[in-house]
Amino acid sequence: HGEKDEVAGRTRVWFVTTGYLALLVAHHPEAFDSHTHLIIDEVHERSVDTDLLCLMARRLLATHPTIKLILMSATIAADQYRAYFDVAEEAVFVGS
């Protein structure tokens, strides 16, 4: 059903599809009470699932202020996403 767990010591990584994550955030935001980071990869691939996930992530951040959101993309429109998520700091770019 779109998920895979990886555990190493105290670190737990949970890989899920964009659609699965959007549904989880929408219907069970309490599932993120023990999470520290939310990473959305390929955010530039403007699909319905990705756009909904960004909306759900913005709502999740309002109720879970300790979660760090990481958006990854080779061609991200950083200023657009900074405005959408109301982030004042400059984006961090890694790579070329």
Side-chain angles (χ1 to χ4, degrees), residues 1-6 12-25 32 35 37-41 53:
H1 55 8
E3 70 177 88
K4 179 182 177 190
D5 273 330
E6 295 291 332
R12 180 177 176 204
V13 177
W14 194 30
F15 296 97
V16 297
T17 62
T18 305
Y20 183 84
L21 185 58
L23 286 172
L24 186 65
V25 174
F32 293 86
H35 291 75
H37 292 74
L38 174 58
I39 302 171
I40 304 173
D41 194 12
L53 181 55

Side-chain angles (χ1 to χ4, degrees), residues 1 23-24 35 40 50 65 69-70 75 87 94:
H1 55 8
L23 286 172
L24 186 65
H35 291 75
I40 304 173
T50 302
L69 177 64
I70 301 168
T75 58
V87 175
V94 178

Side-chain angles (χ1 to χ4, degrees), residues 37-50:
H37 292 74
L38 174 58
I39 302 171
I40 304 173
D41 194 12
E42 303 296 342
V43 75
H44 68 278
E45 293 182 1
R46 301 290 311 278
S47 69
V48 172
D49 284 344
T50 302

Side-chain angles (χ1 to χ4, degrees), residues 11-12 19 45 68 72:
T11 301
R12 180 177 176 204
E45 293 182 1
K68 305 290 188 245
M72 297 185 353

Side-chain angles (χ1 to χ4, degrees), residues 46-71:
R46 301 290 311 278
S47 69
V48 172
D49 284 344
T50 302
D51 287 352
L52 284 173
L53 181 55
C54 284
L55 171 65
M56 296 294 127
R58 186 168 71 172
R59 291 179 178 173
L60 181 70
L61 293 173
T63 59
H64 294 72
T66 59
I67 291 181
K68 305 290 188 245
L69 177 64
I70 301 168
L71 302 177

